PDB file of all heavy atoms in Angstrom:
ATOM      1  N   PHE A 368     -35.127 -30.165  17.640  1.00 90.00           N
ATOM      2  CA  PHE A 368     -34.584 -31.465  17.260  1.00 90.00           C
ATOM      3  C   PHE A 368     -35.665 -32.547  17.289  1.00 90.00           C
ATOM      4  O   PHE A 368     -35.906 -33.208  16.291  1.00 90.00           O
ATOM      5  CB  PHE A 368     -33.410 -31.829  18.180  1.00 90.00           C
ATOM      6  CG  PHE A 368     -32.294 -30.841  18.035  1.00 90.00           C
ATOM      7  CD1 PHE A 368     -32.169 -29.764  18.894  1.00 90.00           C
ATOM      8  CD2 PHE A 368     -31.398 -30.970  16.991  1.00 90.00           C
ATOM      9  CE1 PHE A 368     -31.159 -28.845  18.728  1.00 90.00           C
ATOM     10  CE2 PHE A 368     -30.379 -30.045  16.814  1.00 90.00           C
ATOM     11  CZ  PHE A 368     -30.271 -28.986  17.689  1.00 90.00           C
ATOM     12  N   TYR A 373     -35.855 -34.653  13.848  1.00 92.00           N
ATOM     13  CA  TYR A 373     -35.687 -36.073  14.131  1.00 92.00           C
ATOM     14  C   TYR A 373     -36.962 -36.904  14.006  1.00 92.00           C
ATOM     15  O   TYR A 373     -36.940 -38.087  14.306  1.00 92.00           O
ATOM     16  CB  TYR A 373     -35.099 -36.253  15.538  1.00 92.00           C
ATOM     17  CG  TYR A 373     -33.687 -35.709  15.692  1.00 92.00           C
ATOM     18  CD1 TYR A 373     -33.156 -35.473  16.956  1.00 92.00           C
ATOM     19  CD2 TYR A 373     -32.881 -35.427  14.590  1.00 92.00           C
ATOM     20  CE1 TYR A 373     -31.872 -34.967  17.120  1.00 92.00           C
ATOM     21  CE2 TYR A 373     -31.600 -34.914  14.744  1.00 92.00           C
ATOM     22  CZ  TYR A 373     -31.096 -34.690  16.007  1.00 92.00           C
ATOM     23  OH  TYR A 373     -29.834 -34.186  16.150  1.00 92.00           O
ATOM     24  N   PHE A 382     -29.605 -34.242   8.428  1.00 96.00           N
ATOM     25  CA  PHE A 382     -29.092 -33.298   9.415  1.00 96.00           C
ATOM     26  C   PHE A 382     -27.787 -33.825  10.032  1.00 96.00           C
ATOM     27  O   PHE A 382     -26.801 -33.100  10.150  1.00 96.00           O
ATOM     28  CB  PHE A 382     -30.138 -33.057  10.516  1.00 96.00           C
ATOM     29  CG  PHE A 382     -29.629 -32.171  11.611  1.00 96.00           C
ATOM     30  CD1 PHE A 382     -29.487 -30.801  11.407  1.00 96.00           C
ATOM     31  CD2 PHE A 382     -29.258 -32.694  12.841  1.00 96.00           C
ATOM     32  CE1 PHE A 382     -28.999 -29.972  12.411  1.00 96.00           C
ATOM     33  CE2 PHE A 382     -28.762 -31.872  13.845  1.00 96.00           C
ATOM     34  CZ  PHE A 382     -28.634 -30.513  13.634  1.00 96.00           C
ATOM     35  N   MET A 386     -24.118 -32.045  10.010  1.00 97.00           N
ATOM     36  CA  MET A 386     -23.292 -31.766  11.184  1.00 97.00           C
ATOM     37  C   MET A 386     -21.932 -32.455  11.035  1.00 97.00           C
ATOM     38  O   MET A 386     -20.894 -31.894  11.352  1.00 97.00           O
ATOM     39  CB  MET A 386     -23.977 -32.258  12.470  1.00 97.00           C
ATOM     40  CG  MET A 386     -25.272 -31.543  12.810  1.00 97.00           C
ATOM     41  SD  MET A 386     -25.067 -29.750  12.955  1.00 97.00           S
ATOM     42  CE  MET A 386     -25.744 -29.174  11.428  1.00 97.00           C
ATOM     43  N   ALA A 390     -18.322 -30.691  11.104  1.00 95.00           N
ATOM     44  CA  ALA A 390     -17.429 -31.064  12.212  1.00 95.00           C
ATOM     45  C   ALA A 390     -16.129 -31.664  11.680  1.00 95.00           C
ATOM     46  O   ALA A 390     -15.067 -31.461  12.262  1.00 95.00           O
ATOM     47  CB  ALA A 390     -18.139 -32.051  13.141  1.00 95.00           C
ATOM     48  N   GLY A 413     -23.996 -33.244  22.990  1.00 98.00           N
ATOM     49  CA  GLY A 413     -24.596 -33.019  21.670  1.00 98.00           C
ATOM     50  C   GLY A 413     -23.561 -33.282  20.588  1.00 98.00           C
ATOM     51  O   GLY A 413     -23.537 -32.612  19.562  1.00 98.00           O
ATOM     52  N   GLY A 414     -22.731 -34.283  20.816  1.00 98.00           N
ATOM     53  CA  GLY A 414     -21.585 -34.552  19.916  1.00 98.00           C
ATOM     54  C   GLY A 414     -21.984 -35.252  18.621  1.00 98.00           C
ATOM     55  O   GLY A 414     -21.135 -35.564  17.795  1.00 98.00           O
ATOM     56  N   CYS A 415     -23.248 -35.533  18.446  1.00 98.00           N
ATOM     57  CA  CYS A 415     -23.834 -36.033  17.189  1.00 98.00           C
ATOM     58  C   CYS A 415     -23.110 -37.275  16.668  1.00 98.00           C
ATOM     59  O   CYS A 415     -23.142 -38.311  17.310  1.00 98.00           O
ATOM     60  CB  CYS A 415     -23.859 -34.901  16.161  1.00 98.00           C
ATOM     61  SG  CYS A 415     -25.104 -35.108  14.896  1.00 98.00           S
ATOM     62  N   ASP A 436     -25.502 -37.774  23.329  1.00 98.00           N
ATOM     63  CA  ASP A 436     -26.515 -37.168  22.443  1.00 98.00           C
ATOM     64  C   ASP A 436     -27.833 -37.920  22.640  1.00 98.00           C
ATOM     65  O   ASP A 436     -27.887 -38.948  23.327  1.00 98.00           O
ATOM     66  CB  ASP A 436     -26.055 -37.212  20.979  1.00 98.00           C
ATOM     67  CG  ASP A 436     -26.603 -36.033  20.179  1.00 98.00           C
ATOM     68  OD1 ASP A 436     -27.845 -35.852  20.164  1.00 98.00           O
ATOM     69  OD2 ASP A 436     -25.815 -35.293  19.566  1.00 98.00           O
ATOM     70  N   LEU A 437     -28.872 -37.413  22.022  1.00 97.00           N
ATOM     71  CA  LEU A 437     -30.193 -38.016  22.164  1.00 97.00           C
ATOM     72  C   LEU A 437     -30.172 -39.472  21.649  1.00 97.00           C
ATOM     73  O   LEU A 437     -29.437 -39.776  20.691  1.00 97.00           O
ATOM     74  CB  LEU A 437     -31.226 -37.193  21.383  1.00 97.00           C
ATOM     75  CG  LEU A 437     -31.449 -35.777  21.924  1.00 97.00           C
ATOM     76  CD1 LEU A 437     -32.197 -34.921  20.907  1.00 97.00           C
ATOM     77  CD2 LEU A 437     -32.223 -35.825  23.247  1.00 97.00           C
ATOM     78  N   VAL A 440     -30.194 -40.182  17.949  1.00 98.00           N
ATOM     79  CA  VAL A 440     -28.955 -39.855  17.227  1.00 98.00           C
ATOM     80  C   VAL A 440     -27.919 -40.945  17.471  1.00 98.00           C
ATOM     81  O   VAL A 440     -27.281 -41.440  16.529  1.00 98.00           O
ATOM     82  CB  VAL A 440     -28.421 -38.482  17.699  1.00 98.00           C
ATOM     83  CG1 VAL A 440     -27.029 -38.218  17.154  1.00 98.00           C
ATOM     84  CG2 VAL A 440     -29.383 -37.380  17.269  1.00 98.00           C
ATOM     85  N   GLY A 461     -28.703 -39.870  25.893  1.00 98.00           N
ATOM     86  CA  GLY A 461     -29.368 -39.159  26.985  1.00 98.00           C
ATOM     87  C   GLY A 461     -29.778 -37.761  26.551  1.00 98.00           C
ATOM     88  O   GLY A 461     -29.437 -37.312  25.448  1.00 98.00           O
ATOM     89  N   ASP A 462     -30.509 -37.107  27.448  1.00 97.00           N
ATOM     90  CA  ASP A 462     -30.984 -35.750  27.182  1.00 97.00           C
ATOM     91  C   ASP A 462     -30.216 -34.830  28.122  1.00 97.00           C
ATOM     92  O   ASP A 462     -30.308 -34.981  29.342  1.00 97.00           O
ATOM     93  CB  ASP A 462     -32.492 -35.712  27.470  1.00 97.00           C
ATOM     94  CG  ASP A 462     -33.097 -34.341  27.198  1.00 97.00           C
ATOM     95  OD1 ASP A 462     -32.377 -33.336  27.361  1.00 97.00           O
ATOM     96  OD2 ASP A 462     -34.285 -34.281  26.832  1.00 97.00           O
ATOM     97  N   PHE A 463     -29.447 -33.887  27.554  1.00 98.00           N
ATOM     98  CA  PHE A 463     -28.595 -33.087  28.443  1.00 98.00           C
ATOM     99  C   PHE A 463     -29.363 -32.105  29.317  1.00 98.00           C
ATOM    100  O   PHE A 463     -28.786 -31.515  30.227  1.00 98.00           O
ATOM    101  CB  PHE A 463     -27.410 -32.439  27.723  1.00 98.00           C
ATOM    102  CG  PHE A 463     -27.686 -31.642  26.465  1.00 98.00           C
ATOM    103  CD1 PHE A 463     -28.705 -30.713  26.387  1.00 98.00           C
ATOM    104  CD2 PHE A 463     -26.848 -31.821  25.353  1.00 98.00           C
ATOM    105  CE1 PHE A 463     -28.913 -29.978  25.227  1.00 98.00           C
ATOM    106  CE2 PHE A 463     -27.055 -31.083  24.182  1.00 98.00           C
ATOM    107  CZ  PHE A 463     -28.104 -30.157  24.128  1.00 98.00           C
ATOM    108  N   PHE A 464     -30.662 -31.937  29.059  1.00 97.00           N
ATOM    109  CA  PHE A 464     -31.466 -31.099  29.964  1.00 97.00           C
ATOM    110  C   PHE A 464     -32.101 -31.913  31.095  1.00 97.00           C
ATOM    111  O   PHE A 464     -32.632 -31.366  32.035  1.00 97.00           O
ATOM    112  CB  PHE A 464     -32.590 -30.397  29.192  1.00 97.00           C
ATOM    113  CG  PHE A 464     -32.082 -29.326  28.264  1.00 97.00           C
ATOM    114  CD1 PHE A 464     -32.357 -29.401  26.899  1.00 97.00           C
ATOM    115  CD2 PHE A 464     -31.338 -28.265  28.737  1.00 97.00           C
ATOM    116  CE1 PHE A 464     -31.901 -28.414  26.032  1.00 97.00           C
ATOM    117  CE2 PHE A 464     -30.877 -27.273  27.875  1.00 97.00           C
ATOM    118  CZ  PHE A 464     -31.156 -27.347  26.520  1.00 97.00           C
ATOM    119  N   ALA A 477     -20.040 -27.945  21.142  1.00 98.00           N
ATOM    120  CA  ALA A 477     -19.740 -27.477  19.795  1.00 98.00           C
ATOM    121  C   ALA A 477     -21.061 -27.216  19.074  1.00 98.00           C
ATOM    122  O   ALA A 477     -21.833 -28.159  18.830  1.00 98.00           O
ATOM    123  CB  ALA A 477     -18.906 -28.506  19.038  1.00 98.00           C
ATOM    124  N   ARG A 478     -21.300 -25.983  18.760  1.00 97.00           N
ATOM    125  CA  ARG A 478     -22.537 -25.558  18.087  1.00 97.00           C
ATOM    126  C   ARG A 478     -23.777 -26.064  18.840  1.00 97.00           C
ATOM    127  O   ARG A 478     -24.733 -26.535  18.236  1.00 97.00           O
ATOM    128  CB  ARG A 478     -22.531 -26.033  16.633  1.00 97.00           C
ATOM    129  CG  ARG A 478     -21.438 -25.344  15.848  1.00 97.00           C
ATOM    130  CD  ARG A 478     -21.473 -25.668  14.402  1.00 97.00           C
ATOM    131  NE  ARG A 478     -21.198 -27.054  14.150  1.00 97.00           N
ATOM    132  CZ  ARG A 478     -21.654 -27.729  13.108  1.00 97.00           C
ATOM    133  NH1 ARG A 478     -22.432 -27.138  12.242  1.00 97.00           N
ATOM    134  NH2 ARG A 478     -21.333 -28.984  12.920  1.00 97.00           N
ATOM    135  N   ILE A 479     -23.727 -25.962  20.146  1.00 98.00           N
ATOM    136  CA  ILE A 479     -24.867 -26.350  20.972  1.00 98.00           C
ATOM    137  C   ILE A 479     -25.566 -25.100  21.509  1.00 98.00           C
ATOM    138  O   ILE A 479     -26.780 -24.932  21.337  1.00 98.00           O
ATOM    139  CB  ILE A 479     -24.402 -27.222  22.161  1.00 98.00           C
ATOM    140  CG1 ILE A 479     -23.720 -28.487  21.651  1.00 98.00           C
ATOM    141  CG2 ILE A 479     -25.583 -27.560  23.077  1.00 98.00           C
ATOM    142  CD1 ILE A 479     -24.588 -29.389  20.807  1.00 98.00           C
ATOM    143  N   ASP A 482     -28.165 -22.985  19.670  1.00 96.00           N
ATOM    144  CA  ASP A 482     -29.506 -23.530  19.413  1.00 96.00           C
ATOM    145  C   ASP A 482     -30.529 -23.078  20.449  1.00 96.00           C
ATOM    146  O   ASP A 482     -31.726 -23.300  20.263  1.00 96.00           O
ATOM    147  CB  ASP A 482     -29.479 -25.065  19.463  1.00 96.00           C
ATOM    148  CG  ASP A 482     -28.670 -25.668  18.325  1.00 96.00           C
ATOM    149  OD1 ASP A 482     -28.597 -25.028  17.265  1.00 96.00           O
ATOM    150  OD2 ASP A 482     -28.111 -26.763  18.513  1.00 96.00           O
ATOM    151  N   TRP A 483     -30.051 -22.474  21.559  1.00 96.00           N
ATOM    152  CA  TRP A 483     -30.943 -22.266  22.683  1.00 96.00           C
ATOM    153  C   TRP A 483     -30.934 -20.824  23.181  1.00 96.00           C
ATOM    154  O   TRP A 483     -29.913 -20.140  23.111  1.00 96.00           O
ATOM    155  CB  TRP A 483     -30.537 -23.206  23.845  1.00 96.00           C
ATOM    156  CG  TRP A 483     -30.445 -24.629  23.403  1.00 96.00           C
ATOM    157  CD1 TRP A 483     -29.309 -25.325  23.118  1.00 96.00           C
ATOM    158  CD2 TRP A 483     -31.543 -25.529  23.134  1.00 96.00           C
ATOM    159  NE1 TRP A 483     -29.610 -26.608  22.710  1.00 96.00           N
ATOM    160  CE2 TRP A 483     -30.981 -26.759  22.702  1.00 96.00           C
ATOM    161  CE3 TRP A 483     -32.929 -25.415  23.216  1.00 96.00           C
ATOM    162  CZ2 TRP A 483     -31.748 -27.862  22.353  1.00 96.00           C
ATOM    163  CZ3 TRP A 483     -33.689 -26.513  22.874  1.00 96.00           C
ATOM    164  CH2 TRP A 483     -33.114 -27.716  22.447  1.00 96.00           C
TER     165      TRP A 483
HETATM  166  C1  SAM B   1     -26.277 -28.174  15.969  1.00 76.95           C
HETATM  167  S1  SAM B   1     -25.989 -29.839  16.395  1.00 76.95           S
HETATM  168  C2  SAM B   1     -24.263 -29.841  16.736  1.00 76.95           C
HETATM  169  C3  SAM B   1     -23.652 -31.177  16.597  1.00 76.95           C
HETATM  170  C4  SAM B   1     -22.160 -31.263  16.911  1.00 76.95           C
HETATM  171  N1  SAM B   1     -21.867 -30.836  18.248  1.00 76.95           N
HETATM  172  C5  SAM B   1     -21.365 -30.506  15.891  1.00 76.95           C
HETATM  173  O1  SAM B   1     -20.738 -29.490  16.221  1.00 76.95           O
HETATM  174  O2  SAM B   1     -21.340 -30.950  14.739  1.00 76.95           O
HETATM  175  C6  SAM B   1     -26.744 -29.985  17.961  1.00 76.95           C
HETATM  176  C7  SAM B   1     -26.614 -31.373  18.577  1.00 76.95           C
HETATM  177  O3  SAM B   1     -27.215 -31.330  19.865  1.00 76.95           O
HETATM  178  C8  SAM B   1     -27.976 -32.519  20.050  1.00 76.95           C
HETATM  179  N2  SAM B   1     -29.036 -32.278  21.025  1.00 76.95           N
HETATM  180  C9  SAM B   1     -30.085 -31.469  20.901  1.00 76.95           C
HETATM  181  N3  SAM B   1     -30.857 -31.487  22.002  1.00 76.95           N
HETATM  182  C10 SAM B   1     -30.257 -32.360  22.849  1.00 76.95           C
HETATM  183  C11 SAM B   1     -30.563 -32.804  24.149  1.00 76.95           C
HETATM  184  N4  SAM B   1     -31.639 -32.360  24.783  1.00 76.95           N
HETATM  185  N5  SAM B   1     -29.730 -33.689  24.740  1.00 76.95           N
HETATM  186  C12 SAM B   1     -28.630 -34.152  24.073  1.00 76.95           C
HETATM  187  N6  SAM B   1     -28.282 -33.748  22.843  1.00 76.95           N
HETATM  188  C13 SAM B   1     -29.084 -32.866  22.233  1.00 76.95           C
HETATM  189  C14 SAM B   1     -28.514 -32.783  18.668  1.00 76.95           C
HETATM  190  O4  SAM B   1     -28.935 -34.105  18.516  1.00 76.95           O
HETATM  191  C15 SAM B   1     -27.329 -32.441  17.804  1.00 76.95           C
HETATM  192  O5  SAM B   1     -26.482 -33.526  17.613  1.00 76.95           O
END
Side-chain angles (χ1 to χ4, degrees):
F368 297 95
Y373 295 163
F382 176 74
M386 295 303 103
C415 204
D436 211 304
L437 294 166
V440 170
D462 181 329
F463 51 47
F464 290 121
R478 294 186 295 152
I479 300 299
D482 293 332
W483 307 102

